[in-house]
Amino acid sequence: MKANDVPQALPARYPQLFEGLIQTTCEVTYVMKNKLMHVFKRPTAVALTFFSLFSMAMVPNALAQERNSILVVAGPRTPESLDQEYPPTEATHESKRNIYERLLAYAPKEMDGVQTENFDKLVGALAESWEVSDDMTSIVFHLRDGVKSPAGNTMTADDVMWSFERGWNKNANFRWYMGQILGIQNYNDAFEKIDDMTVKVTVPKTSPLIERIWVNNDLGILDAEAVKQHVTEDDPWASSWLSTHSASFAPYQVTKFRSGQEVVYEANPNYYRGAPRLEKVIFREMPTSANRLAALQAGAVDVAEWLSPRELTMLEKNPQLKIWQVFGNYIQRVEMNNTTPPFDNPKVRQALNYLVPREDILKAGYYGKARQTKSPISEIYPSYTDEYFKYEQDVEKAKQLLKEAGQESGFKTQLGYRTGDQIEEEIAVILKTAFARANVDLELVKLPASTLVEKYSTGTIPMYFYRDMAIVPDAAYVANLWLNSASLINYPKFKSEEVDQLINEALSSTDEAKRDAGMKRVQQIVMDQAPWIFLMNPGYQLATRANVAGFSWYTPNSNSWYDFYKE
């Protein structure tokens, strides 16, 4: 390619990427307070900027220092909403991690060179200290003095109580945790302001999760004074404003939110743990992983999220880049609607599990960057066991089970997967071939993510890919989330009276030996009943430029920009 061809060729080949890079570059140029030349008037200058603006060697030291305080991130999509009451998604988890601060946290620990959470040690966050009653039916939070929001407002018990009241009345995430996990039925009986810096939460029965639930990503504390400025008669909880703005006591606030395009996070200089090292994080939506890959390789972004295993493998030997990886708490599976024939028969569900060529999927789809899922409980959580996993590939066993289920001649069904998800598409093709060996004709249905969610949440698609993680490191919490017949996200509609009973008992028991035995029994039942097709723990990987440091891992699998910095 000749130099004169560059301006025309690059935009033609990567139109969406090129547009995003120009916008990102303009943003950084603005942040540098016009110390860089604005060279975007001629196509040749655009191309030169594409390749050179981000080269540290060509920027004066003062500007290099300023640029080191800015992180540019490319991800698949912007969060659907900034309101912590919006249903959790991978995109919203990341925004919540950075713009909401919680009452408690886990102490940090290092594992394989990565900062992670020590599930055995809770520490204070917005609450400097706390006490739990001996019977574990109440917890008192003593708030930290001098905590300020980006607006400069000082946190008091009124902020905590208003956050609780809003969450309860929104009847979404907060209400679910309080009701389904802690058993709270009445707001006034549960939440109490003791004084300006002390609040108390009382639950109707013993709860072993009464402390650790407050680490959860969805339970942030709002700057009530800031939010109330946007309350209206028709919107008493400022839901409209909070969908595109932030107001908490977190390390960052959102100063620009353009859905489908860009989110700009700016540091909270008043943050109680100290001002973040990164003053600004610019998140740009690039739906196609190939565009995120190209942007990272060109140096136009510092971080590329959710690259495919193939792309990550390709980058591993590049000295200008880093690949970070953690085997965390993700479970990827194919869920089946357990109430729709033929999936209402456990033998059919077992048969499909026996048909899965898991080793082929590991090699061809994940390039060895995943591990088999052998339980409904995340492998890093207490009470996990893989002793009940029996589904090694066995086509003859699958055929026999289908025969016993009255499906000897096979059947036709649909498998839904998300548009733009390369790994799901690759696995879907592998499963289609594998299932055909037992005369199961799999129609692959590619759908936009929002459409797929609508279909499986309303029970109108028989099979679909589902990747999720349970944030609280407790087997009863995990089982309650996905397997309790009363759970709102038990989309397969799996129901076992014994499983429900064991979960409910574990949620109100402090006998750890009994809880452990009960959760192992849950795993035994579930692995036998096979409500899902068990696939992989894909882990969490992140690709960055070599000068980016501070990668950390938290149970929501979302990046905490407070930990990141540039070397």
Side-chain angles (χ1 to χ4, degrees), residues 17 42 71 97 111 116 121 128 259 327 374 388 400 420 435 531:
L17 167 63
R42 299 190 308 275
L71 193 75
R97 167 59 54 179
M111 182 174 65
T116 63
K121 186 178 180 181
E128 188 167 26
S259 181
F327 280 107
K374 298 185 175 182
Y388 303 115
Q400 179 60 36
F435 287 7

Side-chain angles (χ1 to χ4, degrees), residues 62-322:
L63 296 186
Q65 292 175 1
E66 195 163 0
R67 207 191 82 190
N68 275 345
S69 67
I70 302 167
L71 193 75
V72 183
V73 181
R77 65 183 185 273
T78 56
E80 295 84 350
S81 171
L82 298 180
D83 192 339
Q84 64 180 350
E85 291 301 318
Y86 187 87
T89 67
E90 288 169 351
T92 62
H93 274 310
E94 184 160 284
S95 63
K96 291 174 187 177
R97 167 59 54 179
N98 291 286
I99 63 174
Y100 288 98
E101 190 73 5
R102 291 148 290 279
L103 290 166
L104 302 179
Y106 291 113
K109 71 174 184 179
E110 187 171 302
M111 182 174 65
D112 298 328
V114 174
Q115 178 183 306
T116 63
E117 296 174 293
N118 182 352
F119 301 141
D120 296 324
K121 186 178 180 181
L122 284 167
V123 295
L126 293 184
E128 188 167 26
S129 63
W130 68 99
E131 297 114 25
V132 177
S133 63
D134 291 340
D135 62 358
M136 301 188 82
T137 60
S138 67
I139 183 168
V140 176
F141 296 106
H142 300 282
L143 303 180
R144 192 178 298 273
D145 287 329
V147 173
K148 290 184 179 293
S149 70
N153 298 322
T154 301
M155 179 188 68
T156 69
D158 291 334
D159 295 293
V160 178
M161 292 299 292
W162 196 83
S163 300
F164 289 171
E165 185 181 5
R166 179 183 190 269
W168 185 266
N169 283 282
K170 288 291 293 180
N171 198 23
N173 295 333
F174 179 88
R175 183 77 167 261
W176 184 86
Y177 288 113
M178 297 301 105
Q180 184 70 18
I181 304 300
L182 298 183
I184 295 172
Q185 300 300 320
N186 184 282
Y187 178 85
N188 292 327
D189 292 341
F191 303 100
E192 179 184 1
K193 174 184 173 181
I194 304 299
D195 59 40
D196 285 346
M197 296 301 288
T198 311
V199 297
K200 181 179 182 179
V201 179
T202 303
V203 300
K205 57 185 178 181
T206 296
S207 173
L209 299 180
I210 196 168
E211 289 179 282
R212 62 178 59 205
I213 196 71
W214 300 102
V215 178
N216 198 287
N217 227 35
D218 299 315
L219 303 179
I221 302 304
L222 292 160
D223 175 358
E225 184 176 342
V227 178
K228 285 180 180 179
Q229 295 177 24
H230 305 279
V231 164
T232 66
E233 184 177 349
D234 295 332
D235 188 6
W237 303 110
S239 299
S240 179
W241 186 79
L242 279 172
S243 69
T244 56
H245 297 79
S246 63
S248 183
F249 302 91
Y252 288 94
Q253 63 174 325
V254 169
T255 56
K256 180 187 291 185
F257 180 81
R258 292 191 295 174
S259 181
Q261 298 181 53
E262 179 182 71
V263 181
V264 177
Y265 300 88
E266 292 196 23
N268 174 7
N270 308 313
Y271 187 48
Y272 76 94
R273 291 168 60 195
R277 285 170 285 191
L278 293 171
E279 295 177 6
K280 177 175 284 194
V281 178
I282 303 168
F283 179 97
R284 298 208 44 86
E285 179 170 312
M286 294 186 188
T288 305
S289 65
N291 284 354
R292 299 195 295 276
L293 172 67
L296 183 68
Q297 290 176 310
V301 301
D302 301 301
V303 177
E305 298 181 335
W306 299 107
L307 297 183
S308 72
R310 178 186 60 79
E311 292 166 336
L312 291 166
T313 301
M314 182 177 68
L315 296 178
E316 284 178 336
K317 295 182 180 180
N318 187 331
Q320 296 181 320
L321 305 176
K322 288 181 185 177

Side-chain angles (χ1 to χ4, degrees), residues 236-449:
W237 303 110
S239 299
S240 179
W241 186 79
L242 279 172
S243 69
T244 56
H245 297 79
S246 63
S248 183
F249 302 91
Y252 288 94
Q253 63 174 325
V254 169
T255 56
K256 180 187 291 185
F257 180 81
R258 292 191 295 174
S259 181
Q261 298 181 53
E262 179 182 71
V263 181
V264 177
Y265 300 88
E266 292 196 23
N268 174 7
N270 308 313
Y271 187 48
Y272 76 94
R273 291 168 60 195
R277 285 170 285 191
L278 293 171
E279 295 177 6
K280 177 175 284 194
V281 178
I282 303 168
F283 179 97
R284 298 208 44 86
E285 179 170 312
M286 294 186 188
T288 305
S289 65
N291 284 354
R292 299 195 295 276
L293 172 67
L296 183 68
Q297 290 176 310
V301 301
D302 301 301
V303 177
E305 298 181 335
W306 299 107
L307 297 183
S308 72
R310 178 186 60 79
E311 292 166 336
L312 291 166
T313 301
M314 182 177 68
L315 296 178
E316 284 178 336
K317 295 182 180 180
N318 187 331
Q320 296 181 320
L321 305 176
K322 288 181 185 177
I323 307 299
W324 309 84
Q325 176 164 324
V326 174
F327 280 107
N329 55 353
Y330 264 123
I331 292 180
Q332 185 167 33
R333 66 257 192 180
V334 169
E335 294 191 340
M336 298 167 277
N337 189 326
N338 290 196
T339 63
T340 301
F343 304 113
D344 56 345
N345 190 324
K347 291 186 176 181
V348 171
R349 305 195 299 262
Q350 292 167 357
L352 296 187
N353 270 284
Y354 278 115
L355 289 171
V356 177
R358 292 177 176 81
E359 288 299 323
D360 292 346
I361 292 173
L362 276 174
K363 294 175 183 177
Y366 287 102
Y367 289 75
K369 296 185 179 299
R371 294 201 286 240
Q372 291 188 34
T373 289
K374 298 185 175 182
S375 166
I377 305 300
S378 304
E379 64 180 73
I380 63 170
Y381 287 175
S383 298
Y384 164 83
T385 179
D386 62 2
E387 66 178 300
Y388 303 115
F389 181 83
K390 57 186 178 182
Y391 298 111
E392 302 299 336
Q393 188 179 19
D394 189 336
V395 176
E396 294 307 312
K397 176 75 170 176
K399 288 180 177 179
Q400 179 60 36
L401 286 166
L402 289 173
K403 181 178 180 180
E404 293 172 11
Q407 298 289 340
E408 184 175 8
S409 58
F411 58 92
K412 183 173 183 177
T413 189
Q414 293 181 325
L415 172 61
Y417 66 96
R418 293 178 292 180
T419 301
D421 194 312
Q422 180 182 341
I423 190 69
E424 285 188 2
E425 186 164 36
E426 290 174 357
I427 297 174
V429 172
I430 293 173
L431 293 179
K432 180 176 177 65
T433 301
F435 287 7
R437 295 171 184 165
N439 296 318
V440 175
D441 183 2
L442 204 57
E443 178 189 353
L444 305 184
V445 182
K446 181 190 298 187
L447 296 167

